[in-house]
Amino acid sequence: MAAERIPMRKVLDILRLAYEGGRSQRQIAGSLALSQSSVSLCLSRFRASGLSWPLPPDCDEAALDRRLFARSPLPDPDSRPLPEWATVHRELKRKGVTLQLLWVEYQLAHEGTPTRAHCYQYTQFCARYHAWASRLDPVLRQEHKAGERTFVDYAGLTMEVLDLETGAVRAAQIFVGALGASHLLFAEATWTQQLPDWIASHVRMAEFYGGVTALTVPDNLRTGVTRACFYEPEVNATYQDFATHYGTVILPTRVAAPRDKAKVEGGVLIVTREILAPLRHHRFHSLAQLNAAIAERLARVNARPFQLLAGSRRSVFEALERAALRPLPSERYEFAEWRTAKVHIDYHVSIERHFYSVPHAYLKATVRVRLTATMIEILQHGTRIAAHRRSVGPSGHGRFTTDPAHRPKSHQAHLQWTPARLMRWGGDIGPAAAAAVAHILEHKPHPEQGYRSCLGLLSLAKRYTAPRLEAACARARVSGTISYRSVRSILLAGLDKLPVEAPLTLHLPAQHAHVRGATYYRTSEVSDLHA
């Protein structure tokens, strides 16, 4: 079976770490949980493609995929003889036995056989043994280079905040971050562990450190990791957007593997014991008050001297890690949500019951939508194809935001979805249905904005039959309320089965006993009464 293609997200991470971070292939492979051969193949294909880093503006993910991987499939893995690694591991525990000796014995075991020429050389023999042994879950002291990793997690302990106005007590969550090399800690309280608070804590942590590391290592918290997987965890789209903005790579830990983030596990322990526990008797009345107390004690923890090493977390950070951090971008990250939408035949996508246009060439395409507090961006294959000001609130429901440049020059570009075709379709049902379609199209600023309503109206014939839809349209026409919703409500109530009555009109006689006439008001008695 052919090897699985490296996701384009990881391809971009490989190129970023190689050309911006200056990391070796072995370091990149270790950081991204890839084999070194996969990293080498990706970089060699990038060099052969003739592209430069950073990528040209017109090179989106789809173009990069075509340039790098439009090649013949990778060859099948070789079938070289492998030793019994369990035996190798057991023999290494004997005094005087080394990998060099075991490799020589491995070579001699295949002497005189056809597989002798395919035996692994010493370097690969050692590398493959260490790769096998790494799966035995050994307990090792992890050493991280300056500026390489930031570990993040939530503390299990929460802090209570009392609202003086309502008397309600609310639990605040504690976010903790730790740098891999200096172990400088960051902690703050937020109301929830939901995505907006999760991203906002990352932003404030980056500003606290004055930069970001090459890798950000979270736990498999549902907020940050959409789907936990040993081989290919799926990072939340907003979290990935944050990482791209700050130039870091999200590398979730393995499921149920706390040793992968031992730094933050230790940081959580320190924050719990030395910051939260001493504050347990304090009464806080706001989140800001709680965070001020946390910041004060956090500064003491970071400045406290190590017990066995020289300096403190803060001094090691200033001397070693601050210069190794990547600089912050010029603009602070603006929280954004990501959604998937399909372009309708009216070349609009529906977001929160509001319709935004895209170029008509993308009819029926599936696109990604990025929502910020003020903007809507629509992308396909990583390239933005439309942007609109976001319509917020009930007043924008059911309305259209249309860029005139997105409209086709001819309705033929709508795959023949034209007003004439819709009216012919309505005419096949009956004259009342055709009149209803014409009425809807005429009362829209642009006819294509009525396509969606017309399709909904005509689709009612599938559920209620064409004769019933024709009768409902006739009743709606008499009542003067022609719309998809009014016709649908008539069908739901069964009013289409009742005879249509003409509107009631009153004809009053010109002379009547109760009609006083103009002469009544000219009499002197009436004039005196009103005076």
Side-chain angles (χ1 to χ4, degrees):
M1 185 174 66
E4 185 178 356
R5 175 75 61 83
I6 302 176
M8 291 308 298
R9 173 175 60 83
K10 284 205 172 183
V11 170
L12 292 173
D13 291 342
I14 290 172
L15 298 177
R16 188 179 296 110
L17 288 174
Y19 290 98
E20 293 183 11
R23 301 193 176 277
S24 67
Q25 294 179 10
R26 185 183 298 275
Q27 291 172 328
I28 295 174
S31 298
L32 300 180
L34 295 171
S35 66
Q36 189 173 345
S37 60
S38 298
V39 175
S40 176
L41 177 64
C42 178
L43 293 175
S44 63
R45 289 195 174 211
F46 181 79
R47 289 190 293 268
S49 68
L51 294 171
S52 60
W53 185 268
L55 295 174
D58 59 343
C59 185
D60 57 13
E61 291 181 6
L64 181 62
D65 184 80
R66 290 192 299 269
R67 295 287 293 271
L68 296 187
F69 297 104
R71 303 284 195 279
S72 58
L74 297 176
D76 294 333
D78 54 37
S79 56
R80 298 183 181 183
L82 288 173
E84 184 64 39
W85 294 122
T87 302
V88 171
H89 186 69
R90 184 175 62 252
E91 290 296 313
L92 280 173
K93 296 181 181 181
R94 298 179 182 273
K95 189 175 182 178
V97 178
T98 64
L99 278 174
Q100 175 77 28
L101 175 61
L102 294 174
W103 173 72
V104 173
E105 293 177 352
Y106 159 73
Q107 295 272 339
L108 293 175
H110 294 276
E111 193 70 34
T113 65
T115 59
R116 172 63 181 83
H118 300 289
C119 285
Y120 286 105
Q121 297 304 309
Y122 178 66
T123 301
Q124 281 297 314
F125 180 88
C126 295
R128 290 181 178 272
Y129 164 73
H130 289 305
W132 176 87
S134 65
R135 298 196 295 269
L136 298 179
D137 198 25
V139 179
L140 297 176
R141 178 178 178 84
Q142 297 183 9
E143 299 291 343
H144 303 290
K145 293 184 178 180
E148 182 184 30
R149 301 189 183 213
T150 301
F151 298 86
V152 294
D153 200 358
Y154 281 102
L157 185 65
T158 59
M159 295 295 290
E160 293 184 349
V161 178
L162 174 65
D163 190 331
L164 291 177
E165 295 183 0
T166 63
V169 177
R170 188 174 181 183
Q173 308 295 321
I174 308 300
F175 176 88
V176 180
L179 292 176
S182 64
H183 201 201
L184 187 70
L185 296 177
F186 169 80
E188 72 167 13
T190 60
W191 285 128
T192 71
Q193 295 186 14
Q194 299 302 314
L195 189 61
D197 282 335
W198 171 257
I199 297 297
S201 292
H202 279 71
V203 172
R204 289 187 286 268
M205 179 182 66
E207 294 172 350
F208 174 80
Y209 290 143
V212 294
T213 55
L215 300 174
T216 300
V217 183
D219 198 357
N220 280 275
L221 183 70
R222 185 70 176 178
T223 303
V225 181
T226 304
R227 181 175 63 88
C229 175
F230 181 87
Y231 299 100
E232 184 64 29
E234 183 178 338
V235 177
N236 180 281
T238 301
Y239 198 16
Q240 185 60 52
D241 189 41
F242 157 83
T244 302
H245 182 82
Y246 283 95
T248 185
V249 177
I250 306 300
L251 183 64
T253 63
R254 296 172 297 170
V255 178
R259 292 171 189 161
D260 286 3
K261 54 183 178 67
K263 289 285 186 181
V264 76
E265 291 288 345
V268 166
L269 185 62
I270 294 172
V271 169
T272 301
R273 290 180 177 177
E274 303 186 29
I275 296 179
L276 303 183
L279 296 175
R280 69 189 186 279
H281 297 307
H282 292 244
R283 182 65 69 183
F284 300 101
H285 304 299
S286 68
L287 198 64
Q289 188 180 14
L290 172 58
N291 275 321
I294 291 175
E296 180 182 354
R297 300 195 67 88
L298 180 66
R300 299 179 193 173
V301 170
N302 284 329
R304 189 185 61 221
F306 291 123
Q307 293 181 358
L308 302 177
L309 301 175
S312 63
R313 291 179 175 83
R314 173 60 67 179
S315 64
V316 173
F317 170 76
E318 298 294 343
L320 177 67
E321 197 151 24
R322 179 182 287 277
L325 295 178
R326 298 185 175 190
L328 296 175
S330 57
E331 296 181 0
R332 198 182 200 196
Y333 176 73
E334 182 181 10
F335 179 78
E337 297 179 75
W338 287 84
R339 301 182 186 178
T340 300
K342 188 171 183 178
V343 182
H344 206 263
I345 61 168
D346 58 1
Y347 59 89
H348 287 71
V349 294
S350 177
I351 303 296
E352 296 178 340
R353 298 170 59 187
H354 190 96
F355 304 104
Y356 300 91
S357 68
V358 301
H360 69 273
Y362 295 96
L363 289 180
K364 298 187 177 181
T366 300
V367 295
R368 294 283 286 164
V369 183
R370 183 176 184 266
L371 297 84
T372 67
T374 57
M375 292 294 295
I376 294 284
E377 294 181 274
I378 305 170
L379 304 94
Q380 190 176 48
H381 302 309
T383 301
R384 188 173 72 175
I385 60 176
H388 300 279
R389 185 175 298 278
R390 184 174 182 178
S391 177
V392 181
S395 61
H397 291 173
R399 296 189 178 183
F400 287 78
T401 298
T402 306
D403 186 341
H406 295 165
R407 297 192 185 99
K409 296 180 180 179
S410 169
H411 289 298
Q412 297 300 324
H414 287 246
L415 301 178
Q416 299 181 351
W417 286 106
T418 61
R421 182 180 180 186
L422 292 171
M423 293 182 64
R424 285 197 303 270
W425 191 4
D428 293 339
I429 296 175
V437 170
H439 178 86
I440 292 174
L441 294 175
E442 290 172 0
H443 286 76
K444 294 290 183 180
H446 303 283
E448 57 268 21
Q449 292 180 352
Y451 289 3
R452 195 184 301 263
S453 298
C454 292
L455 288 176
L457 176 72
L458 298 175
S459 67
L460 294 174
K462 299 179 181 179
R463 181 175 179 183
Y464 297 100
T465 72
R468 289 195 61 187
L469 176 60
E470 173 68 11
C473 290
R475 177 172 288 275
R477 186 177 181 184
V478 170
S479 61
T481 56
I482 301 177
S483 67
Y484 164 76
R485 291 189 177 184
S486 64
V487 173
R488 180 171 174 268
S489 65
I490 291 173
L491 292 169
L492 284 173
L495 299 178
D496 58 290
K497 299 178 182 179
L498 302 177
V500 178
E501 299 178 357
L504 180 63
T505 56
L506 298 177
H507 299 283
L508 297 177
Q511 300 294 329
H512 192 271
H514 294 157
V515 179
R516 298 173 181 176
T519 57
Y520 172 82
Y521 294 95
R522 288 198 292 267
T523 63
S524 59
E525 295 179 359
V526 174
S527 300
D528 295 340
L529 179 63
H530 287 281

